[in-house]
C-alpha cells in the first residue's frame, strides 16, 4: 500500500486523521507500506509523531514499512528515534496503591520522624552542654544577627496582631459583660487572657511562621549548596555552629516579644473599652493591675520561652534534614511551620493542664 | 621514590543496602595530581565524601600517612582531616559571610593567631588564587569561576597536605577551566601539596593528571589505574578507551594532537 502525504503537516494545520490508513492496514493482507511525499509541504513534529505511529503499528502487525522514500531529514530523525531501543522494564506502569499500604507507609514514616526528633533533641542537648562548659564554637556575630532578625524585625507584625487580639477579646467580652453593666471587667478578661494565654500563643504562632520557616530555609539552602558539608570538613559541628546561635537567639528574644505582645493586647483592650463604654483609661488600668497577678505574667513569659525552644528546634531540625534539591527547601520550610505549630499547641495544652493541677 | 600519602583499602561504598562501589584499593603518592574519573553516577563524588570523612565506608578504611581514619576516635579523625582541604563543586562558601570571613573561618577555629595576622593570611590566600582586593565581597556578588577560586583559598587556609577537588571545572567556560587547571598545577609545584581531583573533564584529566583510577558503574569497582595519558595509549578495556576518547575510538591513534581534546 502506498500512503501519500499531501500539503502542510505542521502542528496547527488541519490534517486528515490517520485512523483511516490504520484501519485499511488492518484489513486484507497488506505486506508493505511505502510513502510518497512529492506533494508534502512544510512539516514538523506532527508528521513525525504520525509516522512513528504508523511504523509502530506496522511492526505490531508484521507489515514492512519502507521509509526510504521519505525526505532525508525525516529519515534521519526516525533513525534517531529508533537508535536506542526502549530498555525492557524502563517504562513506569501506573500502579494502584491500596489505602492500607499508604496508611502503613505513613505510619512507618511517623515512626522514623519521631526517632529523628529524639536524636535531634539529644544532639541539641549535647550542644547546650558543650556551651555550658564553654566548649561550643560559634560566631558571636551570628548570635547577634539572629537576635536582630528574630527580635526587632518582628516588632511590626507582633504589634499589629497583638493589638488586634486585645481588641477582639475586648469586643467579644463586652457583648456579654454589657448585659450586666459590668463593662469594667473587660479589663480582667483582656488582661488575664493576654498575659496567661493569647500573648504567648500569638507570639509563638507568628514566630513559627516568620522565624521557624526562615531557619528551615536557611539551613536547607546551606545543605543544598554543600555549605554544611564544607563546615564539617573544616572541623565545625553544624549543631554548635548553626543550630545553637539560632536556639539561643529565640530563647533570649521570645520572652521579650511576649512581654511586648501582652502590653499591646492591653492597649488594644483599653482602646475599645475607653472609646465605646463609659470607663476611663485610669479605671481600666487600675482594674487590670488588680486583676492580673505577677504569677499570671510569669506563666505567659515562661511559656513563650518554651515556645521559642520548640520553634528553633523544629525549624533547625527540618532545615538539617533537608534534601539536596530546590524543592526540598520549600518542603523543609512548610514542614518546619507544621511541626512548630503542632509542638506549640501540644506544649501549651500540657502547660495549661500542669498549671491547673498545681493551682497556679 | 614515591611516598604514599593516602591509601584506600578494601573499601565498599553503600547507601544502606545499595552498594555503589566495592573492593576499592589504591594509593595516592605525595605530590601526585590524582584523578578519580568515571561516568556520571558511578560513585566518584561518593568516594570523595568517604575520603574526607563525611561518610563512613560500609567496609574498609582510609589511611592518611599510614594512620587509619575510621579506626581513630573523633578527635584523632579531626586532627587527621585538619591537614586536608576540600573544594566543593559550587565552592560552598557561606553566603552570609564575606570572602575574607569565609577564608578566615578555619584559621580562627584551628589557630590562635591575632586578628591582624589572620587578615594578612587571608589577603595572601586570596591573592594566591587571583582574588586580591575582593576581601569584602559576598559570595553572591561573584561569578562561578571566582567562587571556585575563593573556595580554593578557603580550602588552602591551613596549608593542607592534601587538597580535594569535586568537579572543579564543572560549569566553567574553557578559559576559566584552563586557568583553574594551571592554578592547581602551580599550587602542587610550589606548595608541594598532593591533589585529588574528582572529574570527568577530559581536557583537565590529560592536562594535569599524573595518576588516576577509573570507576565503573556496572563492574562496581575500579577497572583501570595509571597515568591518564598512559591509559589512553595502552588500556585494553573498551570502556576506558571509550571514555577517554569521547566514544571516538579511532582518535586514539590520530597522530600527535592533544589526546581526547577535540
Amino acid at each position: 500500500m502506498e500512503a501519500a502525504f499531501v500539503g502542510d503537516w505542521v502542528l496547527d494545520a488541519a490534517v486528515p486523521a490517520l485512523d483511516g490508513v490504520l484501519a485499511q492496514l488492518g484489513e486484507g493482507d497488506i505486506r508493505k507500506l511505502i510513502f510518497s511525499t512529492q506533494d508534502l509541504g512544510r512539516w514538523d513534529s506532527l508528521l513525525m509523531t504520525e509516522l512513528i505511529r504508523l511504523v509502530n503499528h506496522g511492526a505490531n502487525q508484521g507489515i514492512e514499512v519502507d521509509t526510504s522514500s521519505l525526505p532525508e531529514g525525516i529519515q534521519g530523525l526516525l533513525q534517531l528515534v529508533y537508535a536506542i531501543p526502549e530498555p525492557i522494564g524502563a517504562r513506569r506502569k501506573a500502579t494502584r496503591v491500596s489505602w492500607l499500604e499508604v496508611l502503613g507507609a505513613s505510619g512507618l514514616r511517623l515512626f522514623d520522624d519521631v526517632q529523628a526528633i529524639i536524636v535531634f533533641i539529644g544532639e541539641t542537648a549535647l550542644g547546650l552542654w558543650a556551651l555550658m562548659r564553654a566548649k561550643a564554637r560559634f560566631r558571636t556575630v551570628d548570635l547577634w544577627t539572629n537576635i536582630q532578625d528574630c527580635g526587632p524585625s518582628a516588632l511590626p507584625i507582633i504589634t499589629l496582631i497583638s493589638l488586634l487580639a486585645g481588641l477582639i477579646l475586648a469586643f467579644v467580652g463586652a457583648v456579654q459583660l454589657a448585659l450586666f453593666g459590668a463593662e469594667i471587667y473587660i479589663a480582667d478578661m483582656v488582661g488575664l487572657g493576654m498575659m496567661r494565654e493569647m500573648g504567648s500563643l500569638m507570639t509563638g504562632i507568628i514566630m513559627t511562621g516568620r522565624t521557624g520557616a526562615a531557619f528551615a530555609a536557611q539551613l536547607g539552602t546551606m545543605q543544598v549548596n554543600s555549605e554544611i558539608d564544607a563546615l564539617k570538613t573544616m572541623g565545625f559541628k553544624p549543631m554548635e555552629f548553626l543550630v545553637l546561635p539560632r536556639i539561643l537567639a529565640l530563647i533570649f528574644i521570645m520572652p521579650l516579644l511576649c512581654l511586648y505582645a501582652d502590653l499591646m493586647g492591653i492597649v488594644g483592650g483599653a482602646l475599645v473599652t475607653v472609646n465605646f463604654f463609659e470607663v476611663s483609661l485610669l479605671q481600666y488600668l487600675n482594674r487590670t493591675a488588680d486583676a492580673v497577678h505577677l504569677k499570671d505574667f510569669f506563666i505567659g513569659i515562661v511559656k513563650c520561652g518554651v515556645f521559642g525552644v520548640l520553634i528553633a528546634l523544629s525549624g533547625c531540625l527540618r532545615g538539617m534534614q533537608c534534601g539536596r534539591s530546590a524543592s526540598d527547601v520549600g518542603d523543609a520550610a512548610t514542614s518546619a511551620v507544621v511541626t512548630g505549630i503542632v509542638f506549640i499547641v501540644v506544649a501549651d495544652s500540657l502547660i495549661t493542664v500542669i498549671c491547673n493541677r498545681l493551682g497556679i | 621514590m614515591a611516598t604514599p600519602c593516602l591509601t584506600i583499602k578494601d573499601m565498599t561504598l553503600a547507601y544502606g543496602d545499595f552498594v555503589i562501589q566495592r573492593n576499592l584499593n589504591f594509593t595516592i603518592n605525595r605530590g601526585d595530581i590524582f584523578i578519580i574519573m568515571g561516568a556520571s553516577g558511578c560513585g566518584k563524588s561518593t568516594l570523595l565524601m568517604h575520603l574526607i570523612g563525611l561518610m563512613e565506608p560500609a567496609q574498609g578504611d582510609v589511611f592518611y600517612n599510614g594512620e587509619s581514619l575510621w579506626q581513630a576516635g573523633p578527635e584523632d579523625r579531626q586532627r587527621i582531616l585538619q591537614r586536608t582541604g576540600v573544594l566543593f563543586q559550587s565552592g560552598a562558601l557561606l553566603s552570609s559571610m564575606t570572602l575574607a570571613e569565609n577564608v578566615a573561618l578555619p584559621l580562627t577555629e584551628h589557630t590562635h593567631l591575632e586578628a591582624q595576622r589572620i587578615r594578612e593570611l587571608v589577603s595572601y590566600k586570596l591573592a594566591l588564587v587571583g582574588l586580591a582586593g575582593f576581601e569584602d565581597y559576598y559570595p553572591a556578588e561573584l561569578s562561578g569561576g571566582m567562587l571556585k577560586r575563593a573556595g580554593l583559598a578557603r580550602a588552602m587556609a591551613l596549608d593542607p597536605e592534601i587538597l580535594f577537588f569535586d568537579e572543579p571545572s564543572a560549569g566553567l567556560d574553557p578559559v576559566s577551566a584552563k586557568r583553574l587547571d594551571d592554578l592547581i598545577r602551580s599550587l602542587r609545584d610550589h606548595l608541594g601539596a598532593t591533589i585529588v581531583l574528582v572529574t570527568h573533564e577530559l581536557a583537565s584529566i590529560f592536562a594535569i593528571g599524573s595518576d588516576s583510577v577509573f570507576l565503573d558503574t556496572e563492574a562496581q569497582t575500579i577497572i583501570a589505574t595509571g597515568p591518564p595519558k598512559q591509559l589512553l595509549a595502552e588500556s585494553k578495556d573498551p570502556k576506558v578507551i571509550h571514555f577517554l576518547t569521547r566514544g571516538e575510538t579511532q582518535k586514539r591513534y590520530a597522530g600527535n594532537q592533544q589526546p581526547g581534546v577535540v
Side-chain angles (χ1 to χ4, degrees):
Chain A
M1 189 174 109
E2 181 173 325
F5 289 105
V6 181
D8 288 347
W9 284 69
V10 288
L11 283 174
D12 49 2
V15 291
L18 271 194
D19 299 333
V21 181
L22 289 175
Q24 276 181 46
L25 280 175
E27 59 198 43
D29 50 2
I30 293 166
R31 301 242 177 71
K32 191 170 174 183
L33 175 67
I34 54 172
F35 299 109
S36 133
T37 53
Q38 278 150 2
D39 301 320
L40 179 63
R42 296 179 299 134
W43 58 272
D44 63 8
S45 299
L46 174 80
L47 179 65
M48 294 309 299
T49 51
E50 298 292 42
L51 272 173
I52 289 168
R53 250 173 86 192
L54 284 174
V55 173
N56 288 347
H57 184 79
N60 285 340
Q61 306 278 323
I63 300 165
E64 191 190 331
V65 180
D66 183 6
T67 55
S68 57
S69 59
L70 292 166
E72 224 168 88
I74 296 179
Q75 279 189 46
L77 289 174
L78 275 179
Q79 253 168 32
L80 275 183
V81 170
Y82 290 104
I84 299 174
E86 185 176 310
I88 294 158
R91 196 173 286 264
R92 295 246 165 89
K93 290 192 184 74
T95 44
R96 271 179 64 96
V97 185
S98 107
W99 62 270
L100 268 176
E101 195 179 331
V102 175
L103 195 70
S106 56
L108 288 175
R109 250 200 322 274
L110 187 72
F111 184 72
D112 289 346
D113 205 32
V114 170
Q115 246 177 356
I117 290 174
I118 293 172
V119 169
F120 193 80
I121 291 175
E123 282 175 352
T124 313
L126 285 178
L128 286 170
W129 174 233
L131 178 78
M132 278 186 253
R133 290 180 303 153
K135 282 202 167 165
R137 308 295 299 264
F138 60 82
R139 301 191 332 150
T140 353
V141 62
D142 281 346
L143 177 63
W144 290 113
T145 333
N146 277 310
I147 288 180
Q148 164 76 33
D149 285 347
C150 315
S153 316
L155 281 184
I157 178 90
I158 300 264
T159 311
L160 180 73
I161 303 284
S162 313
L163 202 67
L164 291 180
L167 234 119
I168 293 166
L169 269 182
F171 265 123
V172 172
V175 174
Q176 304 300 322
L177 291 171
L179 292 177
F180 308 101
E183 289 93 343
I184 185 65
Y185 290 104
I186 298 175
D188 289 53
M189 193 174 152
V190 172
L192 282 173
M194 284 309 293
M195 292 277 183
R196 284 190 78 116
E197 199 57 50
M198 293 304 281
S200 50
L201 195 62
M202 281 299 167
T203 313
I205 289 182
I206 294 168
M207 294 306 277
T208 315
R210 202 178 171 278
T211 304
F215 284 176
Q218 285 163 0
L219 298 185
T221 317
M222 294 184 82
Q223 190 78 267
V224 172
N225 200 16
S226 318
E227 288 174 38
I228 292 183
D229 284 345
L231 279 174
K232 282 188 201 155
T233 60
M234 284 189 285
F236 290 96
K237 296 195 179 83
M239 282 308 290
E240 291 174 12
F241 194 80
L242 299 171
V243 176
L244 270 192
R246 289 177 164 80
I247 290 185
L248 288 180
L250 273 187
I251 292 181
F252 175 69
I253 213 75
M254 283 293 278
L256 295 179
L257 285 179
C258 181
L259 180 69
Y260 179 75
D262 289 348
L263 181 70
M264 280 300 127
I266 291 172
V267 170
L271 277 179
V272 172
T273 321
V274 173
N275 284 323
F276 293 90
F277 305 99
E278 294 195 351
V279 179
S280 77
L281 183 62
L282 200 62
Q283 278 176 311
Y284 181 87
L285 292 181
N286 273 334
R287 186 61 227 160
T288 306
D290 282 346
V292 181
H293 301 289
L294 208 53
K295 70 169 194 219
D296 302 315
F297 169 76
F298 276 119
I299 286 174
I301 298 290
V302 168
K303 217 155 51 170
C304 212
V306 174
F307 294 168
V309 178
L310 295 176
I311 294 168
L313 271 179
S314 53
C316 294
L317 167 75
R318 297 308 180 197
M320 298 294 282
Q321 282 177 334
C322 180
R324 291 194 173 260
S325 77
S327 69
D328 288 334
V329 178
D331 293 345
T334 313
S335 160
V337 174
V338 174
T339 317
I341 289 182
V342 170
F343 278 0
I344 284 180
V345 174
V346 171
D348 194 17
S349 327
L350 278 178
I351 294 173
T352 309
V353 170
I354 291 171
C355 287
N356 188 288
R357 280 298 161 100
L358 293 178
I360 48 178
Chain B
M1 180 63 203
T3 34
C5 178
L6 188 61
T7 310
I8 285 83
K9 272 206 184 122
D10 299 325
M11 196 144 88
T12 298
L13 319 179
Y15 286 104
D17 293 336
F18 183 66
V19 174
I20 297 164
Q21 292 282 328
R22 60 178 93 236
N23 300 329
L24 300 182
N25 283 294
F26 58 95
T27 302
I28 299 172
N29 290 318
R30 191 171 302 278
D32 264 349
I33 297 186
F34 192 93
I35 314 264
I36 299 172
M37 59 182 159
S40 305
C42 70
K44 300 188 295 281
S45 295
T46 313
L47 174 57
L48 184 71
M49 295 283 221
H50 285 77
L51 297 187
I52 57 179
L54 286 178
M55 284 176 78
E56 196 172 342
Q59 217 184 321
D61 207 340
V62 184
F63 295 89
Y64 279 83
N65 296 321
E67 211 176 341
S68 158
L69 184 65
W70 293 106
Q71 299 284 311
E75 272 158 36
D76 282 332
R77 187 176 312 140
Q78 198 48 56
R79 181 179 47 78
I80 297 172
L81 291 175
Q82 213 169 304
R83 300 198 303 254
T84 66
V86 188
L87 172 61
F88 288 87
Q89 199 165 346
S90 55
L93 297 165
L94 300 184
S95 43
S96 58
M97 300 183 197
T98 63
L99 289 199
E101 288 172 322
N102 263 295
V103 179
L105 207 53
L107 291 168
T108 46
E109 170 69 12
H110 296 298
T111 66
H112 300 285
L113 300 169
E114 321 147 20
Q116 178 58 30
R117 175 53 52 82
I118 287 184
R119 263 200 300 282
E120 286 164 8
L121 276 170
V122 167
S123 300
Y124 159 63
K125 301 285 168 178
L126 283 174
L128 269 187
V129 297
L131 285 173
F134 284 89
E135 279 86 348
D136 295 325
Y137 281 60
Y138 282 92
E141 298 169 314
L142 300 183
S143 72
M146 291 162 106
L147 281 180
K148 290 206 184 185
R149 282 185 279 143
L152 180 53
R154 187 179 66 181
M156 295 192 314
L158 290 168
D159 294 326
E161 288 169 28
I162 311 182
L163 270 167
F164 294 93
F165 292 79
D166 190 8
E167 313 243 354
S169 36
L172 294 188
D173 65 86
V175 178
S176 308
K178 167 85 169 44
R179 279 182 65 190
L180 195 63
D181 285 350
D182 293 344
L183 182 61
I184 291 171
R185 191 166 33 200
S186 60
L187 288 176
R188 193 270 312 255
D189 293 346
H190 300 126
L191 298 175
T194 308
I195 312 272
V196 181
L197 277 173
V198 167
T199 186
H200 48 216
E201 290 289 327
L202 287 178
S204 306
I205 291 175
F206 290 119
I208 59 173
S210 65
D211 200 356
S212 70
V213 289
F214 188 97
L215 300 183
D216 185 58
T217 318
E218 279 116 54
Q220 289 188 337
T221 189
I222 298 170
I223 56 169
T225 55
K229 281 178 185 155
Q230 192 184 327
L231 279 185
L232 177 70
E234 293 167 11
S235 175
K236 302 267 186 302
D237 194 305
K239 275 183 192 159
V240 178
I241 301 166
H242 208 68
F243 181 92
L244 291 176
T245 56
R246 302 180 78 206
E248 297 162 18
T249 314
Q250 67 280 7
K251 280 244 163 65
R252 183 179 181 184
Y253 304 107
N256 53 5
Q257 71 177 82
Q258 202 187 354
V261 182
V262 184

